Every structure is written in C-alpha cells, then in structure tokens.
C-alpha cells in the first residue's frame, strides 16, 4: 500500500479561473443534472471521427476522454457505461469541379474505397488503440460506420421527419444561403453534388421522399428514400448529420447519450441547437454534450491534418512534433502511446479548469515530457470504503463482492485490481472468480469471514444491500478472490511478476 496524495501533479498544470469554476468540483459533475433527471439505465459516450487517414493528437485526445469519462461516470453514478465510436466513412475522398457549371462534386471514402477497405482503415488506425483504452478503463465500446448509421430505419425515419419541417430548419443548417446540403450519390458512380446546387426535394408524403439530382457523368436521376429501404445512400453535411443523429438517439429513453466533441464544436452546436428547438425537441431529448480540450497549433488555430497536407512535414513549426499530426509516428508502441494519453487526459480531468479549456501543442508537449517515466502497471481500478480497504491492505479480506456490471465481466483470474480509498491505494491479483444470481445465493457458497471478518452473515448482507439497491443486484453478483501484490504485481515473497490485465 502507498499514499497517492491529492490527484494531479502539483504545479504541473496552471489553468485560469473559468465560468464553470464555482459550479463544478469534478469534470464529470457536468452530467449530474441530466443523470438525475433522466435516471437512465446506462450512459453511452458517443464520439465521431472522419475515416480519412491517420488520426492526429486532437482526435485521439477526444477518444481517450470518452473512455476515461465513461469509467468515471460508471463509478460516480453507479450506471453501466459504454463508448460508441462513429466512423465517419462519408468524409470526402475526392472533389472535382464540373467544367461547365463549376458545381463541386465529391465522392466519399466509402464510395471510393468500398466497405472492406474502410474496415481495414478502422482496424489499422483504431482497433488496437480502442482495445487498449477499453482494457485500461474497463469500458466496452462499439463501432458504427456512418454508412451503416444512415441505412438504419431510425436514422432515415428521423431524416424524413425533418424534411416535413425543412423551412423551419434550413437557415439554422445553412445560415449563409439557406440551402441544406443533402447529397444523394449517383447510383452508377457514387459521385454527388457537394453543395446540393441541383439536388431538389421533389415529393414528400407518408411513403417517403423523392429527390432529383444531376450527376456529372450520368446526367439527371431520381432517389427515393423510405425507412424500410437502405438505398439510396443519404450523405448529409456535418451540421445536418449531427441534427439527425442527436434526434434519433434522443428517442431512446433508457440510455443517456453523451456527445463527446472537440472544443471547436462549441460554435457549430449553437446552430444545431437552434434547429433542434425549431423542430420542437422536448428538453428531455435535447442532447447532452461534453466539449473536450481543443488542441491548438502555435498560431492559435485548431491543430489539423491540413497543416501537414498544405505545408509539408519540413515546413511545420518546431513545436509540432510529427506524431502530433500523425499519431502512427509516435516514438513507441501503441501500448506506450495509450499509457501516455491515459495519463495526460487523467491529469486534465483532475480539475474542471484544466479540462474545459484549450492547449497549444507546445504546452501539451511540455506536459507529455513531464509524465512519469516508470512502467505503467495496468490494472482494473475500484473505489472502496475505508473499513474494507484496511482489511484488504492487511490481507484479512480475501474476497471482494461486486455486482456483475459490464466492467466486472472483463475481470479474469490473474487480473490485477487496484483498490483506491482517500488517496491510498493497494494492488491485488485475482485468484478466482465466482458469479451468482444474487447476494443470498452468493453467501450460500462464500464464507463471510473472507468478505468481512468483522461481521456476521446477516450484518454483511445488510451492509451490502445498503450499498447496492435491488436494480443493481438484479445484474447478478460476482465474488472475486484477491491476494496482495507489490507495486509491480508480484505476490509478496515471490519473484514472479503477474500478467497485467
């Protein structure tokens, strides 16, 4: 056992006072009003990323924040959490101009590369990264491409509902010209008008919507959309896509969907919220969003891969290290990169003033260079009451009891568990796992002395049920056998190191 002290490294981060400073003690508290109002069965942290090449630091920072916030929310609110990754394979792959009309046409990554190549991009750039983040935070995740999302009946039905109120939302979606960009790629070649110059809504009724459009190579064509048919492909501009997604997700009353977005989205969401209000979206279905720290280039502009495309690697300012724009250039393996990001975002989350702000690449580089250099022992983490923590630390408590929520299902024999209490922590290794239907069933097989040597069976059963309400017990119960290990995962008196989870 050792003492951690107050979270965060003293003097490492200096952040100015902010609007939220007096309202939030912890960054996760920004969700508390919605959680208390909605009483959801679970929370999904939703993060979207364009599938158009290697990610940059800002992209991975948002994704890491999603996993860490999911972990913190699960502990803080006693609700199951999951991360939903939206792989935006409708990012433009190519853009050309019609030489006669000068209208811009674009082809998405999906139409240019196909489903298999998109899967290869996701696997190559994100799968190992997400698997390690999932392991580090005990958080499950799912991946959904935009292609699959737009083909779902819920998304298409929501899109058709907005067409009925198009006049009410078009100036919110396109304040400069009022033309909402709906791209319906040509069925023959997959190219579509980028700005919907000649794409028109021709007919709308209970059977669906019919659009007319003009292809650069194949001339005029029609596209009919209804919820039951996954064709034609519906490619929406960024603001409109988010409007439909947030409206569709908001209809699920059992799940609170939290949109994780980079700080630059704070401006665009004003327009999305205006459209949501124009559609009469009830307050309980308005989206919950968390804006993560924005990563800034030395000029103060958002860090973007366009810097690399437009200026070339040799022309980049010295403060922008190559891996910041192309994280595959990180000078280490993926495991080390995940450890670095988990540490960095964990530091930012220690204080709302650190998290709800922007950082230059120079400052983030400074922080990353200041991170601890000792090897990270990755372990499942559990908060615990002081009386039980002391029993574990002295080796008297050898069985830990938890409800069998999603994070516990990842624990295996040999896994490490780090128990935390009031700045102290103790590292243990799992020796066995047993799962039961409820606490009565569990105590029919487990000795109370291994759970709490200071209580009778009836006393401990009453204590546990004061912690876990019936709806949590209904998830099932897991009894976890534990033994003390040192700070690198070795059992006391043994030279064999445990395998980290």
């Amino acid at each position: 056992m050792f003492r951690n002290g107050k979270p965060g490294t003293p003097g490492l981060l200096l952040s100015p006072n902010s609007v939220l400073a007096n309202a939030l003690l912890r960054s996760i508290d920004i969700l508390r009003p919605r959680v208390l109002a909605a009483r959801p069965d679970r929370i999904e942290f939703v993060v979207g990323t364009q599938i158009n090449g290697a990610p940059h630091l800002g992209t991975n920072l948002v994704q890491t924040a999603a996993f860490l916030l999911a972990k913190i929310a699960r502990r803080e609110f006693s609700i199951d959490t999951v991360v939903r990754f939206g792989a935006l394979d409708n990012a433009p792959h190519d853009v050309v101009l019609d030489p006669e009309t000068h209208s811009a046409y674009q082809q998405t990554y999906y139409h240019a590369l196909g489903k298999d190549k998109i899967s290869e991009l996701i696997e190559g750039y994100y799968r190992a990264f997400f698997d390690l983040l999932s392991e580090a935070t005990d958080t499950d995740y799912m991946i959904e491409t935009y292609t699959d999302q737009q083909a779902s009946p819920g998304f298409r039905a929501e899109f058709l509902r907005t067409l009925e109120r198009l006049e009410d939302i078009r100036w919110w979606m396109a304040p400069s010209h009022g033309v909402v960009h709906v791209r319906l790629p040509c069925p023959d070649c997959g190219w579509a008008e980028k700005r919907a110059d000649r794409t028109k809504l021709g007919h709308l009724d209970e059977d669906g919507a019919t659009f007319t459009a003009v292809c650069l190579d194949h001339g005029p064509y029609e596209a009919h959309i209804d919820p039951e048919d996954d064709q034609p492909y519906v490619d929406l501009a960024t603001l409109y896509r988010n409007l439909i997604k947030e409206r569709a997700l908001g209809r699920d009353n059992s799940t609170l969907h939290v949109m994780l977005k980079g700080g630059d989205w704070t401006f665009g969401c004003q327009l999305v919220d205006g459209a949501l209000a124009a559609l009469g979206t009830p307050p309980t279905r308005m989206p919950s969003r968390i804006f993560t720290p924005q990563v800034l280039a030395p000029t103060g502009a958002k860090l973007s891969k366009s810097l690399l495309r437009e200026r070339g690697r040799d022309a980049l300012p010295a403060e922008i290290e190559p891996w910041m724009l192309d994280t595959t250039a990180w000078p280490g393996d993926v495991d080390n990169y995940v450890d670095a990001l988990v540490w960095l975002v964990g530091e930012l989350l220690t204080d709302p003033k650190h998290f709800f702000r922007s950082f230059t690449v120079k400052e983030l580089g400074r922080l990353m260079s200041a991170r601890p250099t000792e090897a990270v022992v990755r372990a499942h983490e559990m908060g615990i009451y002081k009386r039980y923590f002391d029993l574990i630390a002295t080796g008297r408590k050898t069985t830990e009891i938890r409800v069998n929520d999603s994070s516990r299902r990842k624990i295996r024999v040999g896994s490490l568990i780090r128990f935390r209490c009031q700045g102290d922590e103790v590292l243990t290794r799992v020796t066995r796992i047993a799962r039961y239907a409820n606490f009565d069933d569990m105590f029919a097989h487990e000795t109370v002395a291994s759970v709490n040597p200071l209580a009778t069976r009836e006393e401990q059963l009453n204590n546990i049920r004061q912690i876990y309400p019936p709806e949590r017990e209904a998830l099932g119960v897991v009894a976890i056998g534990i033994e003390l290990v040192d700070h690198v995962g070795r059992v006391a008196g043994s030279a064999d190191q445990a395998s980290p989870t």
Side-chain angles (χ1 to χ4, degrees), residues 163 166 184 199-205 208-213 222-224:
L163 294 180
L166 196 57
L184 303 164
T199 301
K200 308 296 181 185
L201 175 60
H203 185 73
L204 176 67
D205 59 23
T210 300
F211 284 83
T212 60
E222 282 192 354
H224 181 77

Side-chain angles (χ1 to χ4, degrees), residues 8 18 32 47 50 86 112-113 145 173 217 229 246 251 303 329 344 363 366 392 406 424 463 479 497:
S18 69
R32 193 177 299 278
V47 56
Q50 287 192 342
L113 303 181
T145 64
M173 295 289 90
D217 294 321
D229 192 348
E246 292 176 351
R251 293 186 181 276
L303 183 71
L344 174 65
E363 177 65 359
R366 182 186 73 83
I392 291 175
S406 61
D424 292 341
N463 289 342
Q497 184 166 337

